[in-house]
Amino acid sequence: MKLVAFDGDDTLWHNEPLFWATQDRFKALLEPYCPPEHLAERLLATEVANLGLFGYGIKGFVLSMIETAIQVSDGQVPNTVIQELIERGKHMLAHPVHLLDQVAEAVAAVKAGGHRVMVITKGDLMDQEAKLARSGLADLFAAVEVVSEKDEALYRRLFAKHGSGCEACVMVGNSVRSDILPVLAAGGWAVHIPYAGPVWAHERAEPPVDHPRYAGLSSMGELPGWLREI
């Protein structure tokens, strides 16, 4: 391989638990207006509908919570609830970055093995750049691409820009839908390292376990050895 690209959220650092905690509080705040299980469905539908406008990330998540709160309460949700949702969004954006186990060592080992390493991640540009800066990993990466969506065309373009074509590139990530399937469709190699805990419904997909260019690893620490073997 010549280029190894890494996803950011829940691949390099913890991210999803912030959303879980905020959604739990959201359900408690809106319980007078909507049952928690129904509220989760309404929020997901609003988030997905807003992706084309807000993209992925905390800011779009907060706006979707506010929109959902107004809808399910028929406009009766108190200003104090809206304010708390805004404050929780700010807290999420300023939260310290905690790396997953073995990430720093694994990325350094991949780079030391002669590979060019980069980040390809979805989300808000300012938020992702800030998390990378706080992670302590920034100096390891030759390039960073923050994108609005990950699809086959995107990977073909970025692997041509930063590497020598899809056949010589690997994508490492926790999302089968975003980090695995489109990379394989483009002709690249894909490594799935699942994140512990529930997967956001919009990102759920079955891993292609029989694909010759696919690998499922249990931890980032296994990546350098896998790269040496292929």
Side-chain angles (χ1 to χ4, degrees), residues 114-198:
H115 303 287
R116 177 179 170 87
V117 295
M118 69 174 295
V119 173
I120 302 175
T121 190
K122 293 189 298 189
D124 177 77
L125 178 61
M126 290 181 62
D127 183 30
Q128 294 295 339
E129 287 183 339
K131 282 190 284 192
L132 182 59
R134 297 198 301 270
S135 74
L137 299 175
D139 290 344
L140 291 173
F141 296 109
V144 177
E145 295 278 359
V146 181
V147 301
S148 58
E149 190 57 272
K150 293 176 176 176
D151 56 24
E152 180 181 345
L154 180 281
Y155 284 113
R156 287 186 182 278
R157 178 172 62 82
L158 293 186
F159 288 164
K161 176 182 176 181
H162 297 284
S164 54
C166 297
E167 295 78 8
C169 296
V170 177
M171 181 68 193
V172 182
N174 70 294
S175 170
V176 174
R177 176 184 175 273
S178 295
D179 303 317
I180 306 302
L181 298 180
V183 173
L184 296 176
W189 295 73
V191 176
H192 182 223
I193 304 177
Y195 186 76

Side-chain angles (χ1 to χ4, degrees), residues 214-228:
Y214 166 81
L217 305 181
S218 60
S219 71
M220 190 67 76
E222 299 176 17
L223 180 64
W226 177 83
L227 285 168
R228 288 192 295 268

Side-chain angles (χ1 to χ4, degrees), residues 9-10 13-19 58 92 127 131 195:
D9 293 340
D10 301 315
W13 49 72
H14 295 278
N15 180 66
E16 198 64 24
L18 295 175
F19 287 82
I58 293 168
M92 292 172 71
D127 183 30
K131 282 190 284 192
Y195 186 76

Side-chain angles (χ1 to χ4, degrees), residues 47-108:
E47 287 183 276
V48 173
N50 286 336
L51 283 176
L53 292 173
F54 302 151
Y56 295 86
I58 293 168
K59 296 173 186 176
F61 172 63
V62 172
L63 288 171
S64 292
M65 283 195 298
I66 292 172
E67 181 179 347
T68 303
I70 294 170
Q71 290 175 344
V72 301
S73 69
D74 292 325
Q76 300 304 305
V77 62
N79 289 340
T80 54
V81 171
I82 302 300
Q83 185 62 46
E84 179 170 341
L85 296 177
I86 293 171
E87 291 302 320
R88 284 187 168 267
K90 291 179 180 179
H91 171 76
M92 292 172 71
L93 288 166
H95 196 275
V97 173
H98 299 295
L99 297 179
L100 274 72
D101 291 343
Q102 303 175 306
V103 160
E105 298 85 352
V107 175

